[in-house]
Amino acid sequence: MIPISKPLIGKEEKAAVRKVLDSGIIASGPLVKEFERRFAAYQGVKNAVAAANGTCAIHTALYSLGIGQGDGVITTPFTFFATASSIVHAGAAPVFVDIEKEDFNISPEAVEDALKKDKKRKIKAVIVVHLYGQMCDMDAIMKIARRYGVKVIEDAAQAHGAVYKGKKAGQIGDAGTFSMYATKNMTSAEGGMVLFNKEGPAKTARVFINHGMTAAYHHAHMGYNYRTTDIEAAIGLEQLKKLDGFNKKRRENSAFLTGLLSGCGIIESPKEINGRTHIFHQYTIRVKNGERDGLLKHLNSEGIGAKVFYPVPLHKQPVFRKFPGSSAKLPESESAAKEVISLPVHPGLKKSEIQKIADAVKKYTGRR
Ligand SMILES: *Cc1c(COP(=O)(O)O)cnc(C)c1O
């Protein structure tokens, strides 16, 4: 099977972990601090707070920006569960709006519509997701958010190193959150990061992830244990050095695959929009004519680990049913959920494997 993702752990990560294990400081220590500094510098943001995973990073961002009980938070239903579950964990209510056909990302017009309709001004924030590694239309999002006075959180769990008009993911909004899970563009096994341009919310975040402690055993916030460890930071620091190389390889693999797939009638390859650098966390095609499930089954039977991200949009998930707006018709999200397939392009793949993926796709589409 050619897997959809594969962590690339080299001798550098192994040596770094061994050093931590030998040091005696294995929980949160100096390497977590260094990982925060280096990740913030890489992303071009002043403040970074490391967290246990990408999900609690979003929860931490919401809390630190003052979003909680009684507030509404606009987001996309076409994302991983954690984007919206963290809104609920923060005590707020998700408001799902539709996506763009072109890039699968949240639609700025739909965000504006939701804010216009929100006469009681309950909505306090928008969480955008840079899905599959291509950033949202951030100029449009920020303009609308500033006009309505709502905060913007970038869920950049799939966008380490992605660029929009010269700015990296996590740099533009009020907060940017990242995941270092094993399948992401860089990993520390589990792990997360929250970025803030402003000092204030970063200070709150640092306290929130450590039981809300402002001084030893003095708890000013109802915080959590959302800390990460020096073991994970050691892996993350090595992965960060390799990130640009990984992303370059993903882009090369994607371009090669797009070339091989051109002319497959029922398939639309992903588009990179002008002014954006797509880092292809996923290479996601659209399959027309109701052939998605057929192609998926065929690819899996040919040993290609193709997958669907995501088959059920969140507004259709029973756990979100009680939130207003979850009964809304969101046609672009619903058709994307029926049409997408992600094909492997991770940096561990050889050209011959990309060729094999394209051949398997063509074997199916050629019969159509
Ligand atoms: C992976 C992911 C998360 C959650 O990150 P974890 O580290 O797994 O908790 C959140 N949002 C998106 C879009 C993701 O892809």
Side-chain angles (χ1 to χ4, degrees):
M1 184 69 95
I2 298 176
I4 189 77
S5 65
K6 185 177 158 191
L8 290 181
I9 299 297
K11 57 180 189 313
E12 299 81 7
E13 286 84 350
K14 288 173 194 167
V17 167
R18 179 167 291 278
K19 221 170 137 188
V20 176
L21 292 174
D22 289 341
S23 78
I25 303 173
I26 58 173
S28 183
L31 286 185
V32 169
K33 291 277 159 251
E34 189 180 342
F35 189 30
E36 289 174 341
R37 270 197 304 276
R38 293 203 184 236
F39 193 80
Y42 175 84
Q43 295 292 152
V45 180
K46 282 208 195 94
N47 307 284
V49 179
N53 55 61
T55 307
C56 67
I58 304 170
H59 184 187
T60 302
L62 285 162
Y63 183 86
S64 307
L65 293 172
I67 314 297
Q69 202 70 44
D71 297 337
V73 179
I74 294 174
T75 196
T76 163
F78 196 57
T79 178
F80 180 56
F81 174 72
T83 309
S85 67
S86 18
I87 297 171
V88 179
H89 294 318
V95 178
F96 294 111
V97 306
D98 214 355
I99 57 169
E100 298 282 347
K101 197 182 208 88
E102 206 179 13
D103 62 1
F104 304 101
N105 282 328
I106 197 163
S107 152
E109 293 88 71
V111 170
E112 184 158 26
D113 277 352
L115 286 166
K116 256 189 210 146
K117 281 191 204 132
D118 179 40
K119 299 286 181 225
K120 288 189 183 151
R121 296 284 182 147
K122 289 219 171 245
I123 295 171
K124 298 286 157 52
V126 184
I127 303 183
V128 302
V129 180
H130 305 312
L131 199 71
Y132 304 143
Q134 176 154 250
M135 287 178 68
C136 300
D137 185 355
M138 288 307 291
D139 280 352
I141 295 284
M142 293 312 293
K143 212 169 134 193
I144 295 161
R146 293 301 177 243
R147 193 179 318 133
Y148 285 85
V150 300
K151 305 281 189 201
V152 174
I153 296 171
E154 296 173 63
D155 177 351
Q158 305 187 358
H160 316 67
V163 180
Y164 174 92
K165 298 188 183 171
K167 288 187 176 149
K168 287 218 178 90
Q171 211 184 89
I172 304 171
D174 297 283
T177 66
F178 293 81
S179 164
M180 309 291 168
Y181 184 61
T183 61
K184 311 292 185 185
N185 285 39
M186 64 174 282
T187 184
S188 57
E190 295 273 7
M193 195 72 80
V194 198
L195 304 182
F196 301 96
N197 283 309
K198 290 205 176 122
E199 188 90 29
K203 262 180 145 166
T204 307
R206 205 166 287 292
V207 168
F208 184 68
I209 64 149
N210 191 25
H211 301 288
M213 269 197 293
T214 42
Y217 311 111
H218 288 71
H219 305 267
H221 299 262
M222 192 52 73
Y224 289 78
N225 175 359
Y226 278 171
R227 295 181 310 252
T228 184
T229 69
D230 266 25
I231 298 174
E232 288 164 305
I235 303 171
L237 278 162
E238 296 305 321
Q239 288 271 300
L240 184 58
K241 293 180 200 161
K242 301 177 181 180
L243 176 62
D244 284 341
F246 287 162
N247 285 345
K248 182 164 174 272
K249 191 75 200 300
R250 282 177 185 272
R251 288 175 55 77
E252 283 166 13
N253 287 347
S254 298
F256 185 48
L257 187 53
T258 294
L260 295 173
L261 292 178
S262 74
C264 282
I266 59 166
I267 280 172
E268 243 174 58
S269 286
K271 291 181 219 56
E272 184 175 57
I273 295 170
N274 255 341
R276 305 186 204 179
T277 306
H278 197 324
I279 49 131
F280 291 96
H281 171 64
Q282 298 298 345
Y283 180 97
T284 303
I285 59 172
R286 254 186 216 274
V287 189
K288 299 296 191 182
N289 303 346
E291 295 280 4
R292 195 273 305 274
D293 292 343
L295 175 58
L296 181 69
K297 221 172 132 192
H298 164 79
L299 290 173
N300 291 161
S301 75
E302 295 263 321
I304 314 296
K307 276 185 112 173
V308 173
F309 305 106
Y310 297 89
V312 184
L314 298 182
H315 66 296
K316 296 285 185 193
Q317 302 274 0
V319 285
F320 292 116
R321 201 158 284 156
K322 68 174 178 190
F323 297 103
S326 63
S327 58
K329 284 243 173 318
L330 304 173
E332 290 301 339
S333 304
E334 286 159 39
S335 62
K338 290 193 186 89
E339 291 179 348
V340 295
I341 293 184
S342 298
L343 303 173
V345 291
H346 64 76
L349 291 178
K350 296 198 265 303
K351 260 194 152 167
S352 60
E353 291 172 301
I354 307 275
Q355 183 74 53
K356 193 180 163 209
I357 296 165
D359 290 346
V361 172
K362 284 176 170 165
K363 194 167 150 193
Y364 185 88
T365 57
R367 288 197 231 108
R368 254 80 198 157

